[in-house]
């Protein structure tokens, strides 16, 4: 896999450069974002506040990133490698597309299962710290775990459905992007509003007219997502399992920042929009 880089050094350099760019960008947004806002936050301001909340709770969120992103990447990578080796042993072939499919298909299935289950817990776990931020309270690892477990049943139903649709859509890429834009608020709705019975439909309605802003948010994260999903993820498997875990951990760390950003977009609808425009006058931050 490393031939396109010219060696493992190139892969590590690309990883270092991309991480440095993301850290500088998000750090800059955080430094320039005011603590209070008189209206809905813009893209850069929302990312900045999300970054500050992540840094304030760096230890528990990084630990969960390692458990969810790091271990999940190891599970997917190991499964893909094991099935790939078994398949080629039983069905020798010189076709590189077949060899790649024998690895990527089982790996992708593990990603789907992991994202639907463990990813649901991670979403609620992360939003606990956003709730503490909203209430100007300190969070803790123990309380975050209990918070996520208490909401896991309803969050998993919505999160898993949205995640599976995005996963299926990503096979053709464009539908995956479309589903991601429509369901950007699903985790926040399912976690924060226990009155809502259909978070997916609610997210589709509330993101309508706001998907351009959501897309631009994803575009900022694409600085990491595109290199990671295309060349780096494969290169990490050749570099060693520690690199696979590191890539997955950093990916989940940015995932938490995205979750906090979308929570702001969602809650701002009720804080600043006229009551007649929004069906629900307020959303409890539990």
């Amino acid at each position: 896999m490393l031939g396109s880089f010219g060696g493992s050094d190139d892969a590590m350099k690309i990883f270092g450069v991309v991480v440095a760019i993301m850290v500088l960008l998000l750090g800059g947004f955080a430094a320039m974002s005011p603590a209070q806002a008189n209206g809905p936050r813009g893209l850069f301001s929302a990312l900045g506040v999300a970054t500050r909340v992540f840094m304030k709770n760096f230890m528990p969120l990084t630990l969960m990133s390692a458990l969810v992103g790091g271990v999940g990447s190891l599970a997917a990578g190991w499964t893909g490698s094991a099935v790939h080796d078994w398949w080629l042993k039983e069905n020798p072939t010189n076709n590189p597309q077949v060899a790649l499919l024998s690895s990527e298909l089982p790996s992708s299935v593990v990603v789907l299962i992991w994202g639907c289950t463990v990813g649901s817990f991670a979403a609620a776990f992360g939003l606990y710290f956003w709730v503490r931020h909203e209430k100007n309270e300190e969070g803790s690892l123990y309380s975050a775990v209990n918070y996520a477990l208490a909401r896991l049943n309803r969050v998993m139903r919505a999160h898993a459905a949205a995640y599976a649709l995005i996963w299926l859509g990503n096979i053709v890429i464009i539908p995956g992007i479309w589903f991601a834009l429509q369901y950007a608020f699903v985790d926040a709705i399912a976690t924060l509003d226990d009155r809502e019975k259909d978070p997916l439909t609610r997210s589709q309605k509330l993101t309508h007219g706001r998907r351009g802003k959501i897309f631009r948010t994803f575009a900022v994260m694409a600085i990491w997502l595109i290199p990671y999903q295309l060349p780096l993820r494969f290169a990490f498997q050749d570099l060693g399992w520690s690199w696979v875990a590191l890539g997955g951990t950093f990916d989940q760390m940015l995932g938490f920042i995205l979750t906090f950003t979308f929570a702001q977009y969602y809650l701002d609808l009720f804080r600043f929009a006229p009551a007649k425009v929004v069906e629900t006058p307020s959303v409890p931050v539990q």
Side-chain angles (χ1 to χ4, degrees):
M1 297 290 183
L2 290 175
S4 60
F5 290 108
S8 60
D9 287 346
D10 285 348
M12 289 186 283
K13 287 178 183 176
I14 291 173
F15 174 72
V17 168
V18 172
V19 169
I21 291 172
M22 292 305 304
V23 169
L24 288 173
L25 269 181
L26 295 174
F29 297 158
M32 294 184 294
S33 301
Q36 303 296 327
N38 296 321
R41 287 189 180 273
L43 164 62
F44 298 149
S45 180
L47 281 169
V49 173
T51 301
R52 287 215 300 266
V53 173
F54 182 92
M55 294 307 299
K56 181 181 178 181
N57 303 282
F58 182 81
M59 291 305 295
L61 288 171
T62 300
L63 175 60
M64 187 55 62
S65 295
L67 292 174
V68 177
V71 174
S73 295
L74 288 173
W78 181 87
T79 301
S81 295
V83 174
H84 171 270
D85 293 345
W86 170 81
W87 178 263
L88 291 187
K89 181 179 178 180
E90 298 294 325
N91 305 275
T93 179
N94 292 323
N95 189 323
Q97 285 77 22
V98 172
L100 180 62
L101 184 62
S102 69
S103 172
E104 280 300 289
L105 182 58
S107 176
S108 185
V109 170
V110 172
V111 168
L112 172 63
I113 296 171
W114 191 269
C116 288
T117 54
V118 181
S120 300
F121 177 84
F125 178 92
L127 282 165
Y128 160 83
F129 291 101
W130 184 261
V131 172
R132 300 279 73 77
H133 165 74
E134 292 277 345
K135 295 184 175 182
N136 293 314
E137 298 173 356
E138 295 294 326
S140 70
L141 176 62
Y142 178 79
S143 296
V145 170
N146 287 334
Y147 181 93
L149 289 175
R151 290 156 180 78
L152 186 57
N153 186 44
R154 75 168 187 258
V155 172
M156 184 179 293
R157 290 198 300 269
H159 177 92
Y163 192 94
L165 286 170
I166 295 169
W167 180 88
L168 286 171
N170 277 337
I171 296 174
V172 194
I173 298 179
I174 299 301
I177 295 173
W178 179 244
F179 285 134
L181 297 178
Q182 292 186 78
Y183 299 137
F185 295 167
V186 164
D187 288 339
I189 294 170
T191 303
L192 303 178
D193 188 358
D194 59 4
R195 299 168 299 177
E196 180 56 57
K197 303 303 181 183
D198 190 354
L200 275 74
T201 299
R202 183 68 167 158
S203 180
Q204 286 178 312
K205 293 174 67 175
L206 292 180
T207 56
H208 183 71
R210 301 170 181 88
R211 292 171 191 162
K213 185 177 184 180
I214 295 168
F215 178 82
R216 291 190 293 274
T217 306
F218 279 120
V220 173
M221 292 299 182
I223 296 171
W224 159 257
L225 291 172
I226 292 176
Y228 176 61
Q229 291 297 333
L230 295 179
L232 288 179
R233 188 167 56 85
F234 297 109
F236 288 162
Q237 294 180 22
D238 292 332
L239 285 169
W241 293 116
S242 60
W243 281 93
V244 172
L246 179 61
T249 298
F250 189 73
D251 188 59
Q252 180 59 45
M253 292 167 74
L254 294 183
F256 279 130
I257 292 175
L258 264 181
T259 297
F260 297 155
T261 303
F262 293 149
Q264 289 176 79
Y265 296 163
Y266 168 63
L267 293 172
D268 281 352
L269 296 175
F270 307 97
R271 290 179 177 136
F272 303 111
K276 65 180 180 179
V277 176
V278 182
E279 298 174 13
T280 305
S282 64
V283 171
V285 179
Q286 304 171 39

